[in-house]
Amino acid sequence: MKRISFTSLSLAAIVVIASAAASRAEDSATVSPRDLDAKINYCKTCHGTNGQGFRGAYPMPRLAGQQTEYLENQLQAFIDRRRTNPVMFNVAHVLSPAMLKGLGAHFKDLNPKPLGGAPRDLASAGKKIYDEGVPETNVAPCSSCHGPEAKGEGAFPRLAGQLNDYVFNKLVNWSKERGQDKSKPDTSAIMEPIAHGLTEPQMKAVAAYLSSLE
């Protein structure tokens, strides 16, 4: 009877293991349309049918038109607990890298009308802060990162059309929610001194202006 050497068996086992690992890696690199649609429908529960945001017990942010890089980064921040939100941690930590990319691409292409609802009389003051900043407290113009139309770029998020109460809440609570892992600093650190440099009336004005933009 022909003998099979231990070396041959070991090599065969390595090939099988490598093939299985490659298969798993390939699976994680793609997401089926059905799985993506199911997750999108789940997102609609809180963020609205077209990602326009929703006002319930808490304001749920607009995802429509968001920069894909930013959206992926924030989902990863929830996973890494660099950004605190127990609900979003539970949602995000089961998402594969392919699903993160699929969701980012889907929401980027949506462009519903903003929900509005902000006090209109605050918008002009908010526009001034957005365009010019607040020099006396070293707050740079918002437009320098988020663009003249507040549509963002790359890692800098779109703010146009975002719910005003959501924007206000995030600015007020910035240091409690963002940049929570000091060993892994991210772009949220750029906003920390800006959030601290704005008064609450200024925050409300900027939030009102942004909510009116399409």
Side-chain angles (χ1 to χ4, degrees):
M1 183 172 64
K2 186 177 180 181
R3 291 185 177 180
I4 301 174
S5 70
F6 176 77
T7 301
S8 298
L9 287 172
S10 298
L11 289 172
I14 290 170
V15 170
V16 170
I17 292 170
S19 297
S23 177
R24 286 194 298 272
E26 185 176 349
D27 289 344
S28 67
T30 59
V31 60
S32 73
R34 184 179 68 178
D35 288 346
L36 179 58
D37 285 344
K39 191 58 67 176
I40 289 169
N41 286 330
Y42 184 78
C43 297
K44 289 179 181 178
T45 306
C46 291
H47 295 280
T49 54
N50 292 303
Q52 74 272 25
F54 180 77
R55 285 190 174 92
Y58 301 96
M60 301 296 178
R62 176 189 173 106
L63 303 180
Q66 190 54 270
Q67 294 292 329
T68 54
E69 182 181 344
Y70 175 78
L71 189 57
E72 290 175 38
N73 286 348
Q74 292 309 296
L75 287 169
Q76 190 62 50
F78 288 126
I79 295 169
D80 297 340
R81 296 188 186 275
R82 288 180 284 115
R83 181 173 175 180
T84 59
N85 186 304
V87 173
M88 280 306 303
F89 171 78
N90 290 333
V91 171
H93 86 280
V94 298
L95 302 178
S96 68
M99 183 63 79
L100 295 181
K101 290 185 178 298
L103 290 172
H106 169 77
F107 286 110
K108 170 69 173 177
D109 291 338
L110 300 180
N111 192 31
K113 291 285 187 181
L115 289 185
R120 294 184 179 181
D121 59 329
L122 297 180
S124 60
K127 175 174 170 54
K128 183 176 176 64
I129 294 170
Y130 186 88
D131 292 338
E132 302 176 15
V134 186
E136 57 269 29
T137 55
N138 296 315
V139 172
C142 310
S143 58
S144 60
C145 287
H146 299 281
E149 297 180 337
K151 292 186 177 178
E153 180 66 34
F156 296 102
R158 174 187 174 128
L159 301 177
Q162 190 58 270
L163 278 69
N164 64 294
D165 35 0
Y166 176 79
V167 172
F168 175 74
N169 287 344
K170 295 305 107 178
L171 288 172
V172 167
N173 295 298
W174 193 270
S175 297
K176 298 176 183 177
E177 298 180 7
R178 308 290 184 106
Q180 297 304 297
D181 187 346
K182 300 304 181 184
S183 68
K184 297 179 181 178
D186 53 30
T187 53
S188 67
I190 297 172
M191 274 299 301
E192 188 167 8
I194 294 173
H196 289 169
L198 293 171
T199 65
E200 290 197 5
Q202 288 170 334
M203 292 177 185
K204 288 180 179 178
V206 171
Y209 170 65
L210 293 171
S211 72
S212 69
L213 301 179
E214 297 186 16

